[in-house]
Amino acid sequence: MTTTATGLSAIVCLALSACATTSAHVEQREDLLAASGFTIRPANTPRRQALLDRLPAHHFVQRTKNGKAIFLYADPLVCDCLYIGSDKAFGTYQDTILQRQMARDEQADQAQLHRESINDYNEELKVIDTDEEGWDWGAWGPGWW
């Protein structure tokens, strides 16, 4: 019985630490999004919440507004908000991520870390192209573009 309880405790601790690590990673990413020029809009109305729910959590989605690329990053878990960025803001974010990956490569074993860095870089910059039908730009208010 003690062994089972100890094993269960270990599993619960591992699960909680994984959640904390994921949450911390998301918060770091969002700090970088804000620093890169993304605007934060809370999902504080039923319309905004419905639109936020249509987007994949913690992934980039590219949309078009007035012929320009707009990048969206939905966070329904940490801040319950939408990050909205221009092509320039997304480029700044990409550059910063690449610089961080290169710094990590210089500090560790080059072969293994390089493979991991490429995978991390690709995942970090994944943009999902989704259908824009019914998307309401007006719900997010002026001033972010």
Side-chain angles (χ1 to χ4, degrees), residues 25-133:
H25 178 74
V26 168
E27 288 177 15
Q28 288 173 358
R29 178 184 286 179
E30 292 175 358
D31 288 345
L32 182 55
L33 287 170
S36 297
F38 279 74
T39 301
I40 305 165
R41 291 288 190 246
N44 57 0
T45 67
R47 182 69 180 140
R48 284 184 177 188
Q49 191 64 57
L51 288 166
L52 188 71
D53 291 344
R54 291 176 52 188
L55 297 171
H58 309 290
H59 286 87
F60 289 100
V61 174
Q62 183 178 353
R63 295 283 169 87
T64 304
K65 172 84 170 142
N66 297 330
K68 295 182 180 178
I70 302 295
F71 294 87
L72 308 176
Y73 180 87
D75 177 10
L77 304 174
V78 176
C79 70
D80 197 30
C81 64
L82 180 68
Y83 288 80
I84 305 170
S86 65
D87 196 33
K88 180 181 177 183
F90 187 69
T92 300
Y93 179 81
Q94 285 177 310
D95 290 345
T96 304
I97 292 296
L98 182 58
Q99 289 171 5
R100 288 182 178 186
Q101 294 296 340
M102 288 171 37
R104 282 188 213 149
D105 282 350
E106 291 174 9
Q107 295 173 356
D109 175 44
Q110 294 297 319
Q112 179 61 28
L113 187 58
H114 182 69
R115 286 191 293 276
E116 291 172 5
S117 293
I118 295 298
N119 291 337
D120 288 350
Y121 179 73
N122 289 337
E123 184 62 28
E124 194 78 26
L125 299 179
K126 184 192 298 184
V127 176
I128 300 171
D129 187 19
T130 62
D131 185 12
E132 288 189 39
E133 186 175 329

Side-chain angles (χ1 to χ4, degrees), residues 1-13:
M1 182 83 162
T2 304
T3 305
T4 304
T6 303
L8 183 57
S9 295
I11 291 171
V12 170
C13 286

